[in-house]
Amino acid sequence: MKQIIIASFVAVLSGGLLTSCNKLKENPLGNLTPGSFYQTQSDAVAAVTAVYSTLTTDINNDFAIYGRNLNLLVDNPSDNQVYSPSNTNPDVRALGTATYVSTNDRVRKIYGQLYWSINKANIAIDKIPEIPAAQFVDPSHSALNLVREARFIRALGYFNLVRLFGDVPVVLHDLSSFNISELKINRTPKDSVYLQIKADLDSATLLPDTYFGANVGRVTSGAAHALLAKVYTTHYEWDKAKTELEKVISSGTGFTNTTGNYGYDLFSKFADVFQPATKNGKEHIFSAQFNGTTGGFVSNQSLSSFTWSTSAYTADIPADASVIENLFNAEDQRRSTTFYDSLYNQSTQKWARWPFYNFLKFVDQSPGFTAALPGSQNGSSKVNFPVLRYADVLLLYAEVLNEINGAPTPDAYHAINIVRGRAFNSYSGNGNYSKDAYDLPSDLSQAGFRDSVFIERRREFIQESQRWFDLVRRTDRGPGQYYLDAVKSMPGNPKAAATLKDTLFPIPQTEIDLYGGTNPNFKQNPGW
């Protein structure tokens, strides 16, 4: 098969991919030939560090994938979130009103970023096995495991791409050395994309169960099983999803068949999911690593921006007050962790109050941190982005059991009630919670339980790049109808322009312009 290249990746490349490494503490790969660089175990580790860095950095100092850019495509077009009224970027505003087009810069950006991440993974996957085995003296970073980590990141990139865009080109080798004028590209059918994702994740399940010290935060076998379960759920392969979930859910926690020994559990306090002091804790299966500075595979995130001025808005805001006031019981601790309308300025020792709600999850509330930055937090938050956490696994398990059995089982109820129990301060760990009025009714139908799971997912994962994916993958009301019903029911109808075509994003126009004229098989998504 002829090698292929991605136009949006080339745009990223032209912005300095090969020569600009200011944001990473890695050897400048673009200034060396591949043969001269990949010689030692340290080179292999640096290559995989560069793969991790694509989740939290952008080569052109734009929003990173998990720094805000994925959020703009997954939360702003949903019923949870809209752009800030003070945001003048027309491409961001268009995402919030379902009026975006194929030339939207944010759509082009995420497409290019995901292929940039995939290309970094491809380089590591191709080159690390060429390093002599005698060079691998540190057993904590074997060649096989480094490749498996890169394959996990590649799978994550393709999982995001196939969910956002449908059929996408599958590229398994380095793109940067090919002449674009000599290449032809095809969109790979999404079922084949999913096969590649599953193959990469199957490989990653052989990674270590855990890491220690400076290696905490790397991909583990538990992360691979959890992401594989999410892939199977999204692809409606319920039995396979169940098998993977039971490998992740901790045994001895009140479930019938679970065998997980990774030690995953929920924090008793929901807020601990989003604070630096508890990052990479027992609920975090895999996170994009942010530390408020640059270097390595950590960087700044831009989901936390706020100002002390009561007249200024944050970058993005909840869609409307009903998201908070109608969706959340006042006693639900997720409400006060997810949103705020006032903050205490430690510099002035006064409260600043807004006449509207803002997002709080990714605001760094470490002691003394806000006092050091009394004006704003901008992108300096040290809060990680939880790509996969244990609450997601539990809610997926509840969903999968309900679909397999045609009705909720006791284990399905147990899974969702653990999450609800934590929300109402009655979870004591290890699957134990106080049964009370907040448990779901025990006589729900399959449809009623399914609705309850998705409502709980909405409460649990606001601002975590989940909602649009959840909306468009539901097909029980017809393909895309659940998404359309949700956004059309928003107060004020801010997404009046939404149609079923919005359940897939358009292929960036740069791709169509480059390949569509010469390849009749490279077509735009329907309706775009």
Side-chain angles (χ1 to χ4, degrees):
M1 185 177 71
K2 186 176 285 188
Q3 297 288 350
I4 57 181
I5 197 163
I6 309 300
S8 292
F9 171 79
V10 175
V12 173
L13 199 69
S14 66
L17 175 60
L18 294 183
T19 59
S20 176
C21 294
N22 296 331
K23 300 195 74 172
L24 305 178
K25 289 184 178 178
E26 57 177 286
N27 292 326
L29 305 186
N31 295 335
L32 298 168
T33 65
S36 66
F37 178 76
Y38 296 97
Q39 299 292 319
T40 69
Q41 184 176 41
S42 295
D43 298 336
V45 172
V48 176
T49 294
V51 181
Y52 281 106
S53 77
T54 62
L55 307 180
T56 56
T57 64
D58 178 77
I59 199 64
N60 295 318
N61 294 310
D62 202 339
F63 302 129
I65 295 172
Y66 288 102
R68 185 168 172 240
N69 216 35
L70 185 62
N71 174 271
L72 287 174
L73 270 75
V74 178
D75 286 292
N76 268 4
S78 79
D79 52 349
N80 280 348
Q81 181 175 307
V82 294
Y83 59 86
S84 164
S86 61
N87 192 320
T88 59
N89 185 319
D91 292 313
V92 173
R93 295 173 71 91
L95 288 169
T97 56
T99 57
Y100 51 92
V101 293
S102 62
T103 55
N104 186 283
D105 180 65
R106 292 297 95 189
V107 175
R108 180 199 62 80
K109 186 69 178 184
I110 196 69
Y111 191 92
Q113 283 178 321
L114 290 168
Y115 275 109
W116 176 48
S117 179
I118 288 165
N119 193 62
K120 288 281 192 180
N122 287 341
I123 293 171
I125 293 164
D126 283 346
K127 296 301 181 183
I128 289 173
E130 297 176 1
I131 298 173
Q135 291 291 325
F136 288 86
V137 295
D138 180 357
S140 64
H141 294 303
S142 70
L144 281 174
N145 283 343
L146 288 170
V147 168
R148 289 163 181 156
E149 290 176 61
R151 292 189 71 174
F152 176 95
I153 303 296
R154 183 168 71 180
L156 179 62
Y158 276 123
F159 188 41
N160 284 326
L161 277 167
V162 75
R163 290 185 294 169
L164 291 168
F165 298 101
D167 299 351
V168 291
V170 169
V171 183
L172 300 179
H173 301 285
D174 182 14
L175 294 166
S176 59
S177 61
F178 297 100
N179 186 339
I180 192 170
S181 64
E182 299 176 356
L183 302 174
K184 183 177 181 180
I185 189 171
N186 286 303
R187 295 177 65 185
T188 305
K190 65 179 182 179
D191 285 347
S192 296
V193 181
Y194 274 106
L195 286 176
Q196 182 60 50
I197 293 168
K198 295 166 190 173
D200 279 343
L201 292 176
D202 279 336
S203 171
T205 61
L206 299 176
L207 283 164
D209 291 354
T210 189
Y211 290 98
F212 303 95
N215 291 319
V216 170
R218 305 187 81 90
V219 179
T220 63
S221 62
H225 284 298
L227 185 56
L228 191 54
K230 192 158 190 168
V231 168
Y232 281 132
T233 302
T234 303
H235 208 217
Y236 314 119
E237 297 178 81
W238 307 115
D239 288 326
K240 292 180 179 179
K242 176 177 178 288
T243 297
E244 294 300 321
L245 290 164
E246 289 176 346
K247 295 174 183 176
V248 179
I249 297 174
S250 299
S251 61
T253 54
F255 294 96
T256 304
N257 298 311
T258 57
T259 59
N261 61 358
Y262 296 102
Y264 297 133
D265 201 353
L266 300 184
F267 291 114
S268 59
K269 294 182 179 179
F270 184 68
D272 285 345
V273 178
F274 306 99
Q275 286 309 306
T278 45
K279 64 170 56 180
N280 298 315
K282 60 185 178 181
E283 186 166 345
H284 301 121
I285 298 176
F286 181 71
S287 299
Q289 304 289 312
F290 291 98
N291 72 350
T293 60
T294 59
F297 62 99
V298 290
S299 186
N300 295 326
Q301 57 101 319
S302 302
L303 287 166
S304 60
S305 300
F306 71 86
T307 176
W308 296 113
S309 169
T310 56
S311 63
Y313 289 84
T314 51
D316 304 293
I317 60 174
D320 54 77
S322 70
V323 175
I324 298 92
E325 296 167 358
N326 295 349
L327 190 62
F328 289 88
N329 184 294
E331 298 177 25
D332 188 332
Q333 61 170 304
R334 293 174 297 192
R335 174 171 171 161
S336 60
T337 297
T338 305
F339 311 101
Y340 69 96
D341 62 1
S342 59
L343 277 176
Y344 185 70
N345 187 334
Q346 298 183 45
S347 179
T348 63
Q349 297 185 351
K350 294 181 180 179
W351 283 90
R353 189 176 184 87
W354 285 260
F356 46 82
Y357 288 99
N358 288 314
F359 289 116
L360 183 59
K361 275 184 177 178
F362 294 98
V363 174
D364 192 332
Q365 300 176 72
S366 302
F369 188 78
T370 51
L373 294 167
S376 64
Q377 189 162 108
N378 296 323
S380 300
S381 171
K382 298 178 182 178
V383 178
N384 285 350
F385 188 98
V387 178
L388 289 166
R389 56 186 178 91
Y390 193 56
D392 199 357
V393 167
L394 292 172
L395 291 176
L396 289 174
Y397 195 50
E399 177 185 352
V400 164
L401 293 177
N402 186 51
E403 297 301 332
I404 289 174
N405 294 281
T409 65
D411 279 351
Y413 273 109
H414 185 52
I416 192 172
N417 283 334
I418 287 174
V419 176
R420 290 174 61 83
R422 192 264 296 275
F424 292 100
N425 297 289
S426 64
Y427 184 67
S428 57
N430 201 37
N432 298 310
Y433 60 93
S434 301
K435 293 178 172 57
D436 53 33
Y438 298 115
D439 285 3
L440 285 182
S442 60
D443 58 350
L444 290 174
S445 65
Q446 182 185 36
F449 188 83
R450 183 188 296 122
D451 284 340
S452 296
V453 169
F454 277 85
I455 290 170
E456 214 59 50
R457 290 186 62 83
R458 186 182 182 192
R459 294 186 182 111
E460 187 76 16
F461 301 119
I462 285 179
Q463 210 191 10
E464 295 180 56
S465 297
Q466 298 258 27
R467 181 60 175 168
W468 182 87
F469 289 138
D470 281 347
L471 289 171
V472 300
R473 72 181 175 84
R474 280 195 67 170
T475 59
D476 46 300
R477 300 179 193 171
Q481 196 60 48
Y482 189 82
Y483 155 79
L484 204 58
D485 290 346
V487 298
K488 291 293 189 181
S489 65
M490 296 171 66
N493 200 14
K495 295 176 173 60
T499 66
L500 288 177
K501 73 175 174 54
D502 295 299
T503 56
L504 279 181
F505 283 91
I507 299 296
Q509 193 61 40
T510 51
E511 306 296 307
I512 301 299
D513 291 344
L514 188 60
Y515 302 113
T518 58
N519 184 357
N521 295 319
F522 195 87
K523 297 179 180 179
Q524 182 58 274
N525 281 330
W528 294 101

